[in-house]
């Protein structure tokens, strides 16, 4: 198997170590490569391939000590001494001083002129990557630009992370299916793409669009973090547009939603009422890991006025990322609780993450959307006009996970999780979620939808 070729497909840097003596220096270089800016949507993964015989070859003097320092775990004390900046919704800092090239300033001036000249509702600002983070006030600048020009803010459907909530602009999330997404985008005559690749379909469909944007090149403006300081560029663009007079919540034309949570629903649990309970209860600064797929569609709009939080989601076509993504978020930010809104079918792909959460005593609340079916696959089959006549029974069996039923409470208990409950009503979910936020360590709540 060609491991280098496999790794190259997903990595910005691939290193095959040359010897045991060079292991530390080559691994250090690979770690440094992950910090380099990449084109919009580019990988920041660095892969190190270590031939097995390096484990018994003699290393050089000091090599073991160097490796021990390189891979030593980060302690809570170290985290407190140097807080992680990877996931934060703290107060924005001013962009770092930079010396922009005259060409960059001229480009942004032309971009501002084009946005101002475009009729209200005819321009879109399509965002990903750094443009969706509150760091350095980027999101506030974006919201002011949109409010001042009448542009529509749109984010990638499969975004890695977006900071959301009261005081931050609310985005339209691009539709998942390509036909709907292409229709949404067709009403715009100008697009500014910021740290995002131009949108394409997630999967191929017979007679369906692949490229979702049909605008001519001169109607598309792009800012890329690999060659542009995004926070500085947004601040400069806001100044060029004279957007400083926009005040969130006052003259922002609804771009910045008012603070407020949805009211607490009642009765039997449905997909929508589950989302409303989560948005009603979630505390400030929480991290939402969202792999809810079909069950969580209502959460996006219901949570727009909640206290500020970070929202992480599936970034590719593969499913099962939610539980391990929650593990990574909890380790990166041990002072912030995590709620993983998780589809039941895709959770089966990475069940072992529950064991890791228990072992590491991570503050993760997993909410299983137990509808007993691969609903997203059923939708995909329907879009492809499958099954054909006579194949309905077989395709239904392939997407049904209700026979036998998966008991998530028992599965969590088998992983050593002490807090695992079922919820059949809104009241039961609200009680379980409030209790979970007070508990130390992980909790699983199985919502029977």
């Amino acid at each position: 198997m060609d491991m280098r070729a496999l790794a190259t497909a997903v990595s910005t840097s691939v290193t095959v170590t040359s010897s045991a003596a060079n292991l530390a220096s080559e691994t250090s270089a690979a770690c440094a490569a992950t910090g380099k800016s990449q084109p919009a949507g580019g990988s920041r993964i660095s892969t190190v391939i270590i031939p097995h015989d390096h484990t018994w070859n003699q290393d050089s003097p000091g090599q073991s000590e160097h490796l021990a320092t390189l891979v030593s775990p980060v302690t809570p004390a170290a985290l407190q001494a140097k807080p992680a900046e990877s996931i934060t919704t703290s107060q924005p800092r001013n962009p770092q001083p930079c010396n922009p090239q005259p060409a960059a300033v001229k480009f942004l001036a032309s971009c501002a002129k084009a946005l101002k000249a475009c009729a209200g509702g005819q321009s879109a600002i399509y965002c990903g990557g750094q443009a969706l983070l509150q760091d350095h006030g980027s999101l506030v600048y974006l919201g002011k630009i949109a409010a001042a020009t009448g542009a529509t803010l749109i984010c990638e459907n499969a975004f890695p992370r977006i900071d959301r909530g009261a005081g931050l602009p609310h985005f339209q999330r691009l539709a998942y299916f390509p036909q709907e997404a292409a229709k949404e985008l067709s009403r715009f005559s100008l697009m500014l793409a910021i740290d995002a690749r131009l949108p394409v379909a997630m999967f191929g469909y017979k007679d369906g669009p692949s490229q979702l944007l049909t605008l001519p090149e001169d109607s598309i403006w792009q800012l890329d973090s690999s060659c542009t300081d995004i926070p500085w560029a947004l601040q400069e663009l806001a100044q060029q547009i004279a957007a400083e007079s926009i005040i969130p919540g006052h003259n922002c034309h609804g771009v910045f939603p008012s603070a407020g949570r949805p009211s607490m629903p009642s009765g039997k649990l449905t997909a929508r009422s589950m989302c409303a309970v989560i948005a009603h209860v979630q505390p400030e600064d929480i991290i939402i890991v969202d792999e809810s797929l079909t069950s969580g569609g209502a959460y996006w709009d219901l949570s727009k006025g909640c206290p500020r939080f970070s929202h992480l989601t599936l970034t590719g076509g593969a499913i099962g990322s939610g539980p391990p993504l929650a593990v990574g978020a909890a380790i990166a930010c041990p002072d912030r609780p995590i709620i993983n809104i998780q589809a039941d079918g895709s959770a089966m792909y990475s069940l072992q993450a529950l064991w890791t959460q228990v072992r590491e005593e991570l503050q993760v609340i997993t909410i299983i959307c137990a509808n007993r079916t691969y609903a997203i696959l059923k939708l995909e089959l329907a879009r492809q006009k499958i099954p054909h006549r006579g194949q309905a029974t077989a395709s239904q069996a392939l997407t049904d996970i209700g026979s036998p039923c998966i008991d998530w409470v028992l599965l969590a208990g088998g992983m050593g999780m002490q807090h695992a409950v079922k919820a059949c009503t809104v009241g039961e979910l609200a009680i379980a979620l409030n209790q979970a936020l007070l508990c130390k360590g992980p909790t699983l709540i199985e919502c029977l939808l």
Side-chain angles (χ1 to χ4, degrees), residues 73 141 168 237 241 268 286 349:
Y141 291 129
L168 297 176
L237 188 60
I241 290 171
K268 186 179 179 180
I286 198 165
Y349 283 62

Side-chain angles (χ1 to χ4, degrees), residues 173-230:
R173 190 173 178 182
L174 190 65
Y176 170 78
F177 289 111
Q179 291 84 352
E180 285 84 347
K183 184 178 180 180
E184 287 178 13
L185 297 173
S186 67
R187 64 188 180 92
F188 300 112
S189 59
L190 181 146
M191 173 174 279
L192 168 60
I194 306 179
D195 211 17
R197 291 179 177 175
L198 298 182
V200 297
M202 179 74 77
F203 299 111
Y205 298 87
K206 184 179 180 181
D207 301 323
S210 178
Q211 300 290 334
L212 304 182
L213 193 63
T214 58
L215 287 173
E217 285 189 8
D218 58 359
S219 296
I220 301 173
W221 299 74
Q222 294 179 273
L223 294 173
D224 193 323
S225 62
S226 66
C227 55
T228 306
D229 183 329
I230 296 296

Side-chain angles (χ1 to χ4, degrees), residues 307-328:
R308 292 190 187 185
F309 64 102
S310 295
H311 193 162
L312 282 58
T313 192
L314 176 74
T315 57
I319 58 178
S321 70
L325 181 57
V327 168

Side-chain angles (χ1 to χ4, degrees), residues 75-84:
T75 64
L79 285 169
Q80 292 176 2
K82 185 179 181 180

Side-chain angles (χ1 to χ4, degrees), residues 139 142-144 146-148 151 153 168-171 246 249 252-257:
L139 279 174
L142 258 179
K144 290 186 174 186
L153 287 177
L168 297 176
H170 183 57
F171 287 73
I246 299 296
C252 64
H253 308 292
V255 173
F256 293 85

Side-chain angles (χ1 to χ4, degrees), residues 9 36 106 118 144 150 154 220 245 248 278 283 326 334 342 353:
K36 296 179 180 178
K106 183 178 179 180
C118 195
K144 290 186 174 186
I154 305 176
I220 301 173
S245 61
I278 296 170
Q342 182 62 47

